[in-house]
Structures are given as C-alpha cells and as structure tokens.
Amino acid sequence: IKVRVEGLKLGTLAEASRARFLDLVRTRVGILNAVHAERAMKRIAKRLDETSFAWFGPATQESPSPSGFRGRC
C-alpha cells in the first residue's frame, strides 16, 4: 500500500516558518517524558525537509469545530 502524502512540504518554507512548525510539534511531543520528548524532537528535526504538514478544521479559537494537524515524512 502506498500512502499519498498531502500537505505543504516543509523543505520549501523559510526558516522562521519551519521553526514555528517545530514549536507546534513540541507542544504535542511535550506530553511525553523529557527523555522521550527529546528523542522524538531530534528524529523529527532530522527529517524536517522531507516532512509534509496539513491542517484540518478552522484556524480560529472562536469556532467550536474540531481542528488538528498532521505531519508526515
């Protein structure tokens, strides 16, 4: 099975945008213990150029609809 990768390719973004993506991911990975979170962030940062990012749902906090994101290498 081949999974189609969708979303914005992070390797095409400016450094500041890539840093914001890592900040977003860090909030989610931060629920892990510190050792596992550090390992996960290193693994993610290493493959950042190959990663695609997709957002679903509204982009404002005012909307009661669910939203989320997916990052995939």
Side-chain angles (χ1 to χ4, degrees):
I1 297 174
K2 184 174 181 174
V3 177
R4 188 175 78 193
V5 177
E6 296 179 322
L8 180 64
K9 192 83 165 183
L10 295 177
T12 65
L13 298 179
E15 190 62 36
S17 296
R18 293 160 42 118
R20 290 184 71 190
F21 172 78
L22 286 174
D23 287 343
L24 175 65
V25 171
R26 193 173 286 111
T27 63
R28 180 71 176 135
V29 171
I31 65 172
L32 304 171
N33 69 51
V35 172
H36 290 108
E38 182 181 340
R39 286 181 191 158
M41 288 307 298
K42 284 181 181 179
R43 209 172 42 248
I44 292 165
K46 184 177 180 181
R47 298 190 63 194
L48 197 59
D49 286 343
E50 309 164 34
T51 302
S52 293
F53 173 79
W55 180 268
F56 61 91
T60 64
Q61 293 181 355
E62 291 78 33
S63 176
S65 300
S67 61
F69 69 93
R70 167 175 265 169
R72 179 174 290 212
C73 291

